[in-house]
Amino acid sequence: MTGIFISFEGIDGAGKSTHIEALAQAFREQGRALVLTREPGGTPLSEQLRALALNEAMDPLTEALLMFAARREHLVQVIEPALARGDVVLCDRFTDATFAYQGGGRGFDRSVLAQLEQWVQQRVDGGLRQPDLTILFDIAPAVAAARLSTARVPDKFESQSQAFFQRVADGYDARASGEPARFARVQADQPREAVWRDVLAAIRGKGWLA
Ligand code: TYD
């Protein structure tokens, strides 16, 4: 069996978490070995980098480098070995988030991010590691903000303005338009069951779940 790498993206408040959990359950029920992970994070060191990146104010390049440093560890320690074993890897955010948040939200130079992407995601065969499928939860920043306001204490990103999240959403749009075959866009402001139906349809469309 070949491994399957699926990432989940969207602005804060898009509501991806419950669907990632449900999808993990659906794959397990079909007997697939599965790794459920997240970025930044997924290894002890990457989780430490996450705590820094999400809670400390820092220079935009420092922030981008921390995201990619965490990603490199995560790829080497967790994602590549899992894919080599034939596991399903469900990853809550991956590199598209860096293009959306650091590139779009912060306005950081995307050509620098593209270079880092090439270095960090280089596979042993020389190719570029990307998810096989990226599910993008689409939602208007105002709707997402209303959802977040009732949730927990906001971290550094969650407390950003709606204008910031509009730039993040535009950043995701640009990535999705650039690689339409890799992305499945799901309308995230529907009732939860409808969102779940669309998530399942995207996975089934690839022939990965019965
Ligand atoms: P998130 O995935 O929303 O997790 P939780 O639901 O536990 O809050 O939080 C991760 C935050 O990190 C989110 O605000 C987006 C941000 N982020 C970046 O800015 N760049 C990145 O490359 C990644 C992976 C995440």
Side-chain angles (χ1 to χ4, degrees):
M1 230 180 282
T2 53
I4 302 173
F5 182 18
I6 308 173
S7 66
F8 302 85
E9 301 283 358
I11 63 174
D12 288 274
K16 53 194 166 52
S17 309
T18 54
H19 300 292
I20 299 173
E21 291 285 343
L23 206 49
Q25 194 53 34
F27 274 112
R28 287 194 193 103
E29 278 165 13
Q30 302 217 340
R32 284 297 298 247
L34 180 128
V35 173
L36 182 55
T37 188
R38 68 173 181 180
E39 290 214 344
T43 80
L45 175 56
S46 302
E47 289 291 332
Q48 284 186 287
L49 296 173
R50 176 191 179 94
L52 293 172
L54 267 57
N55 297 303
E56 307 289 335
M58 61 186 70
D59 163 77
L61 176 57
T62 309
E63 189 175 274
L65 290 171
L66 282 186
M67 297 299 178
F68 275 111
R71 180 160 305 129
R72 178 68 188 176
E73 278 303 300
H74 192 205
L75 276 165
V76 170
Q77 305 287 346
V78 175
I79 297 176
E80 292 295 348
L83 294 175
R85 289 192 302 268
D87 292 3
V88 174
V89 176
L90 302 185
C91 194
D92 187 345
R93 302 189 184 283
F94 194 63
T95 304
D96 300 310
T98 313
F99 280 82
Y101 281 79
Q102 280 66 51
R106 298 267 191 244
F108 189 73
D109 187 342
R110 283 173 221 214
S111 68
V112 175
L113 300 181
Q115 269 183 303
L116 292 168
E117 178 183 38
Q118 294 292 326
W119 287 348
V120 167
Q121 291 159 236
Q122 188 162 98
R123 296 188 313 231
V124 277
D125 67 5
L128 184 71
R129 175 61 71 194
Q130 289 289 21
D132 298 303
L133 173 69
T134 297
I135 297 190
L136 176 56
F137 290 79
D138 256 332
I139 194 164
V143 179
R147 285 186 182 179
L148 272 182
S149 64
T150 58
R152 63 223 157 159
V153 183
D155 64 32
K156 193 177 92 183
F157 292 104
E158 287 163 349
S159 55
Q160 293 289 328
S161 66
Q162 266 185 47
F164 175 88
F165 284 111
Q166 188 57 61
R167 293 196 299 276
V168 173
D170 294 345
Y172 276 127
D173 272 342
R175 283 287 275 188
S177 309
E179 283 179 83
R182 175 163 68 83
F183 278 84
R185 303 179 80 119
V186 167
Q187 233 17 82
D189 56 358
Q190 310 175 80
R192 185 170 292 181
E193 309 73 53
V195 177
W196 172 238
R197 184 197 59 211
D198 291 352
V199 169
L200 262 186
I203 305 290
R204 287 184 175 143
K206 293 280 183 181
W208 294 333
L209 270 180

